[in-house]
Amino acid sequence: MKKGHFYGIHRVIEPKGSLPQPAWKIDNTMTLYDNEILIDVKILNIDSASFNQMKEAANGDLEKVKGFILDTVAKRGKQHNPVTGSGGMLIGIVEDIGVNSPALTKGLKKGDEIATLVSLSLTPLFIEEIIKIEEKTAQVFIKGKAILFASGVYAKLPDDIPRKLALAVLDVAGAPAQTAKMTRKGETVVVLGAGGKSGLLSLYQAKTKAGATGKVIALEYDSSAVKMIEELQIADEVYQVDARDSLEVLKIVEEATNGELADLTINCVNVPDTEMSSILATKDEGRVYFFSMATSFTKAALGAEGVGKDIEMIIGNGYTKAHAQIAFDTIRSATLLRSYFEEKYGK
Amino acid sequence: MKKGHFYGIHRVIEPKGSLPQPAWKIDNTMTLYDNEILIDVKILNIDSASFNQMKEAANGDLEKVKGFILDTVAKRGKQHNPVTGSGGMLIGIVEDIGVNSPALTKGLKKGDEIATLVSLSLTPLFIEEIIKIEEKTAQVFIKGKAILFASGVYAKLPDDIPRKLALAVLDVAGAPAQTAKMTRKGETVVVLGAGGKSGLLSLYQAKTKAGATGKVIALEYDSSAVKMIEELQIADEVYQVDARDSLEVLKIVEEATNGELADLTINCVNVPDTEMSSILATKDEGRVYFFSMATSFTKAALGAEGVGKDIEMIIGNGYTKAHAQIAFDTIRSATLLRSYFEEKYGK
Ligand SMILES: NC(=O)c1ccc[n+]([C@@H]2O[C@H](COP(=O)([O-])OP(=O)(O)OC[C@H]3O[C@@H](n4cnc5c(N)ncnc54)[C@H](OP(=O)(O)O)[C@@H]3O)[C@@H](O)[C@H]2O)c1
Ligand SMILES: NC(=O)c1ccc[n+]([C@@H]2O[C@H](COP(=O)([O-])OP(=O)(O)OC[C@H]3O[C@@H](n4cnc5c(N)ncnc54)[C@H](OP(=O)(O)O)[C@@H]3O)[C@@H](O)[C@H]2O)c1
């Protein structure tokens, strides 16, 4: 077995010297290096911003979306959407483990079912066949293989959570974990894109941490999702609004907070142009957590400066310690939320 | 006088409902609304990432850069570089003040010389003529007018700092102010792009706040700039490296910190693809402050996740309280640094 680099540099084809994530193209030959893990892939969970972009570009034609995915993987060696820059994750069965893989010392065995917790945008992937695309979950069932580098994070799937549900939840595991870390008791938290996967999990953690003296405000676009959030009882108030309409968002948050605005705003929307709404919703010296992959760095930086808002804006790092555990625990404790997720993703 | 909106929405042409910064096109007619300020513009300070991009696209031909600027302002009503998304700032003389401008209560008068502290990417600008472009400072001398909205932040120029120097320093005022806020005593701070305007000011603040028990490491591309930083005595260690070469950056920072890495990394580079270097240079649970406008949101978010780094990544908000004051005070206290800046920007 050839020796692999901890960060997977040995598979970078273009540009040389780059790491696998920023690289344009990586090597997806399925021959194992000494510290890698080979995975027999079952399901890809496409990142929401990416799936949304492909669906729009394909005018909703899922056969075309299939074509986009196959094309991207053929060209780049990974499912790294060239427009949104984002990926997603996968689940599969461990087929082989390199002799020097750190996973060996952690007890990983051939035949274990795992989810990768690093983005598809850096994961060598080979697709033999796309079996089907499930539109409502953005999950793609394939025959194929993938490689996990020595630095790659993964989670074994728990027995008490169905695998499709586990995959959906793990894809956005960073959001509830960061929300839990960032929310302080008594705070007012606004969640944009509250009805999506990451939004719902974040609402629950925000409410748990802000406590009875805090206030969690959910903003959602879709009227049926608004109703669903109300029924799940995980937000103090729910409003229907287009997150791109920054003045309308400002008005709603002003009214809901007596003009005080949010201490913390969590952006979980999957479409572009919602930076300004997040900024205006937040009080001076407050914080904005941009989990959305459709966030533009310059729009956020210059948007806040442009309105003279002294706020801290944080880039949604997909990884934080124990994030998989926190995501699973959220599902385990939030009974109503779990039922909703099970209905959507299967029991 | 017509009534203007606090955030300048009344001048947004396209798309409707947007704020001036994210808007594609704004109205640069120089007729004053009741809460606006009209400025007789003297110098534009083009954002470094933007100037660099235009210079590269023009193969160094400054006449072509002139053309780009005139074209952008004609099309968008503002100097909002469509490629980098960034702007810059300006200085000029107050020509008129709307009767309901909040600046009146703050004592601003016609004839005062001010610098705008909001980005050119949202400032209505009309250029009659570009007199000259100064390459080494990215300053553009023009005949023209600009508008500042009621929400727009500005600073009166102090008597003891030359105006070209003041402009250069104010353009990047967010960086030293945020560095001062973020650096804790005894910390190890790495600054990428340390030899530029924002880099030098940030080095000084980092060293001041980290104190004798802290360590400030400057990374710079250019060998003469490396020497200059050493002479200015504002960093504990200086290394020459290409900030895009993430593995080399990692190696240098590892060696300089006995493998500990940085508590805080400040990215002040003006070229793309330096996210990974910033991430690798930073220790687990450390922080990265991305001041660079060439930062990609997805590259940062997915890059950190890809290598399993639990770090906080902050979007460089150009505004924070007292940032102009902190920037001027930096220049006033750092004697050697001041001489260097005066040599470059004029006394
Ligand atoms: N930082 C990271 O590491 C990371 C990891 C994974 C995902 N993400 C990103 O996080 C975001 C959310 O992901 P997700 O999986 O939770 O997505 P999701 O389940 O598809 O949810 C997206 C939500 O945004 C809502 N939305 C869409 N357009 C809207 C608008 N104009 N106004 C208000 N709400 C709107 C959707 O409402 P509808 O139901 O009406 O469409 C939905 O509730 C995506 O951008 C994704 O790329 C980031
Ligand atoms: N967030 C905000 O509000 C805000 C406001 C203003 C500016 N900015 C951004 O902040 C950044 C710095 O601005 P500035 O005015 O300080 O720029 P600057 O004075 O032009 O400095 C840029 C520095 O980056 C260095 N550099 C360029 N390529 C490099 C490479 N490959 N490796 C290492 N260093 C490299 C340059 O070195 P050389 O001397 O060799 O070129 C220079 O020292 C820019 O991206 C700018 O857009 C942000």
Side-chain angles (χ1 to χ4, degrees), chain B residues 47 59 74 86 113 116 134-135 140 198 217 233 245 291 296:
Chain B
D47 170 72
N59 278 319
S86 58
E113 185 164 26
T116 56
E134 218 181 67
E135 184 168 358
V140 180
S198 56
I217 300 168
Q233 300 167 22
D245 187 343
F291 190 68
S296 149

Side-chain angles (χ1 to χ4, degrees), chain A residues 5-7 9 17-19 21-22 80 84-88 117-122 151-153 171 178 181-182 244-247 250 273 276 280 284-285 290-321, chain B residues 5-7 9 17-19 21-22 80 84-88 117-122 151-153 171 178 181-182 244-247 250 273 276 280 284-285 290-321:
Chain A
H5 186 281
F6 183 68
Y7 290 131
I9 318 276
S18 162
L19 267 87
Q21 202 287 322
H80 188 176
T84 62
S86 58
L117 296 179
V118 289
S119 173
L120 288 179
S121 68
L122 61 92
S151 58
V153 189
D171 177 36
Q178 301 280 9
K181 251 171 60 176
M182 290 182 72
R244 290 164 299 193
D245 187 344
S246 39
L247 293 179
L250 172 62
D273 294 319
M276 218 52 239
L280 293 183
D284 203 48
E285 306 204 346
F290 285 106
F291 190 67
S292 168
M293 280 293 160
T295 306
S296 149
F297 182 89
T298 47
K299 283 184 187 168
L302 296 174
E305 184 197 87
V307 295
K309 269 269 171 117
D310 193 358
I311 51 177
E312 185 172 81
M313 296 182 288
I314 292 152
I315 297 176
N317 183 348
Y319 175 74
T320 184
K321 260 168 232 88
Chain B
H5 186 279
F6 182 69
Y7 290 131
I9 319 276
S18 161
L19 266 86
Q21 202 288 321
H80 188 175
T84 62
S86 58
L117 296 178
V118 289
S119 173
L120 287 179
S121 68
L122 61 92
S151 57
V153 189
D171 177 34
Q178 300 280 10
K181 251 171 61 176
M182 290 182 71
R244 289 165 300 193
D245 187 343
S246 40
L247 292 179
L250 172 61
D273 294 319
M276 217 54 237
L280 293 183
D284 202 48
E285 306 203 346
F290 285 106
F291 190 68
S292 167
M293 280 292 161
T295 306
S296 149
F297 183 91
T298 47
K299 283 184 187 167
L302 296 174
E305 184 197 86
V307 294
K309 269 269 173 117
D310 192 357
I311 52 178
E312 186 171 79
M313 296 181 289
I314 292 151
I315 297 176
N317 182 348
Y319 175 74
T320 184
K321 259 167 234 88

Side-chain angles (χ1 to χ4, degrees), chain A residues 45-50 52 86 88 168 171-174 192-200 219-223 225 241-244 267-272 274 289-295 315-319 344-345, chain B residues 297 301-302 305:
Chain A
N45 195 90
I46 304 294
D47 170 72
S48 179
S50 167
N52 198 48
S86 58
D171 177 36
V172 296
L192 287 147
K197 286 194 298 291
S198 55
L200 290 169
L219 304 187
E220 167 59 43
Y221 195 30
D222 187 68
S223 59
V241 62
D242 184 341
R244 290 164 299 193
N267 186 323
C268 292
V269 182
N270 63 349
V271 299
T274 65
Y289 181 70
F290 285 106
F291 190 67
S292 168
M293 280 293 160
T295 306
I315 297 176
N317 183 348
Y319 175 74
K344 184 154 177 184
Y345 295 96
Chain B
F297 183 91
L302 296 174
E305 184 197 86

